[in-house]
Amino acid sequence: MATPPPGPTPQPTLSRGTHRELTRIEKILTAETTGGLILVLAAGLAVLLANSSASEAYVAFRDAHLGFQLGPLDLDLSIGHWAADGLLAIFFFLAGLELKQEFVHGDLRDPGRALVPVVAAAGGVAVPALLFTLINLRGPEGALGGWAIPAATDIAFALAVLALVGTHLPAALRTFLLTLAIVDDLLAILIIAVFYTSDLQPMFLLVALVPIALFGLLAQKAQSWFHRSYAAAWVLLLPLGAITWALFLNSGIHATIAGVVLAFLVPATPRERDGVRWSLAETFEHRFRPLSSGFAVPVFAFLSAGVFVGGASGLLESWASPVALGIMAGLVGGKILGIVGATFLVTRLRRANLDPAIRWLDLVGMAAVAGIGFTVSLLVAELSYDPANPLHDVAKVGVLSASVLAALLGALILLPRNARYRRIAQEEAVDANRDGIPDVFEDDTGR
């Protein structure tokens, strides 16, 4: 009997991406690292102020109302609310741009490459939510409303930690973390849109279709103009975006979703002019990322992370709450179980192995870093519990504590691994110099 021809050899899991994708990932890593450090400083300052003699002034500033009533539109919000619903819309706009680029010309357009980070992200969302639910089945009344708090990964904070402890880790690992975090953002967006929508007002959404359609039409028809001119986008697209945001704010759907909807209308198909490849999505990402990571997210963190702890006894009391325990268990342990477990299942079902340059311990370290929830977790905590509910601050203590623990655990695992990869790189460089091999980076075509 003739032996059937072997099927195609599966590509190793977490293999190196294309040259273009790696270049784009490195740019994002650099930008998000700086933003992550600013984010940590802003959150730390908020916690200090909230637990100092200036706490009353801090709370009064955060809760002060700014805005107005414009016909049926209610735009009278507290400063903290403006940050959570307004400034974070910029963050979600960037997340939408990243998602669209990944699915249009990133490695996620390839189902084979997309499968691993998508399944890993799903596991990293489902298992933490399940752990939180199990721990809070007999918790305080209303505690289960925070089931989605430990589901998120903070890109900026996680990449800032990775930049400090993972300078020599394989590029495929860093690409995996970023891609996983982007897919995680998509899942968080869907969770917020579906489960945290209250008192839906469809009429506002119907009216929002008009500025959304105009935004998409202008973005499609005037790509070259917006690429060349900073002012054109601000003058023409920003007002349409602001109107869309205000309508979403009053529709019952969380206003940050407006940023994602508009981002998905920005063309991401690469164009070429004078030998330079670009897309409008890439152009907007480059322009607006400093505004998001350098201002919008840190301001939100400053206004959201300031929780009164009440000294060591108050901290211990918060940690003893099932809500805080569920968040910490979900972000620190659930992320590792979900991400590594899902990746393991994918490799077994596809009969594939990790790239030979990567070990499972490396993946555990990356999953630990992915347990840094922070920005989106704080947002979901605010959506889950009313500010007057004691669980509101307890949840935020859990998010902050879990993010610190996840960062420390990730560093503890990845620092020795990083040292190992540094030695390998040094040995390879020595061998290459001895053999007269030029030290250059080759892309997938051998150039």
Side-chain angles (χ1 to χ4, degrees), residues 144-164:
L144 288 175
W147 63 270
I149 296 174
T153 293
D154 188 286
I155 297 179
F157 200 162
L159 294 182
V161 171
L162 189 61
L164 295 175

Side-chain angles (χ1 to χ4, degrees), residues 268-290:
T269 303
R271 291 188 168 194
E272 187 165 342
R273 181 172 181 175
D274 299 328
V276 178
R277 284 173 60 88
W278 60 272
S279 71
L280 190 58
E282 196 171 21
T283 300
F284 281 0
E285 183 183 337
H286 174 74
R287 290 179 184 173
F288 296 126
R289 186 173 296 281

Side-chain angles (χ1 to χ4, degrees), residues 18-286:
T18 63
H19 174 64
R20 175 179 174 78
E21 179 70 357
L22 286 175
T23 302
R24 193 177 74 81
I25 293 294
E26 290 296 334
K27 290 179 180 178
I28 295 176
L29 285 169
T30 303
E32 290 286 14
T33 297
T34 304
L37 296 175
I38 299 173
L39 174 63
V40 172
L41 292 175
L45 179 60
V47 173
L48 288 176
L49 288 176
N51 293 273
S52 70
S53 57
S55 60
E56 290 186 7
Y58 170 81
V59 172
F61 173 74
R62 182 191 63 196
D63 295 341
H65 272 246
L66 295 174
F68 51 87
Q69 190 88 20
L70 183 62
L73 295 177
D74 182 7
L75 298 176
D76 184 16
L77 309 174
S78 68
I79 293 177
H81 199 173
W82 277 108
D85 282 11
L87 292 180
L88 276 195
I90 303 172
F91 168 81
F92 278 93
F93 180 74
L94 264 293
L97 290 177
E98 290 170 352
L99 277 167
K100 183 159 186 181
Q101 290 185 86
E102 283 290 332
F103 283 110
V104 171
H105 62 81
D107 284 343
L108 286 184
R109 74 187 188 279
D110 178 358
R113 288 186 181 275
L115 181 64
V116 177
V118 168
V119 173
V125 167
V127 175
L130 179 61
L131 282 177
F132 179 92
T133 302
L134 291 174
I135 292 173
N136 282 274
L137 282 176
R138 297 186 179 181
E141 183 179 355
L144 288 175
W147 63 270
I149 296 174
T153 293
D154 188 286
I155 297 179
F157 200 162
L159 294 182
V161 171
L162 189 61
L164 295 175
V165 304
T167 53
H168 287 77
L169 293 175
L173 277 175
R174 290 176 289 165
T175 303
F176 173 75
L177 177 63
L178 182 59
T179 306
L180 180 145
I182 290 172
V183 177
D184 189 287
D185 276 347
L186 174 61
L187 297 176
I189 289 163
L190 293 174
I191 288 172
I192 291 171
V194 174
F195 296 100
Y196 292 93
T197 293
S198 60
D199 191 22
L200 185 64
Q201 302 289 330
M203 186 56 65
F204 286 107
L205 292 177
L206 288 175
V207 176
L209 292 176
V210 176
I212 288 173
L214 290 174
F215 185 99
L217 182 64
L218 282 172
Q220 289 286 342
K221 298 299 183 181
Q223 293 185 56
S224 298
W225 187 22
F226 291 136
H227 174 69
R228 294 193 307 269
S229 172
Y230 282 76
W234 287 104
V235 172
L236 295 177
L237 296 182
L238 180 60
L240 293 172
I243 294 170
T244 304
W245 174 85
L247 291 167
F248 268 69
L249 177 69
N250 286 266
S251 72
I253 294 179
H254 199 264
T256 53
I257 303 301
V260 183
V261 172
L262 295 175
F264 270 64
L265 297 176
V266 177
T269 303
R271 291 188 168 194
E272 187 165 342
R273 181 172 181 175
D274 299 328
V276 178
R277 284 173 60 88
W278 60 272
S279 71
L280 190 58
E282 196 171 21
T283 300
F284 281 0
E285 183 183 337
H286 174 74

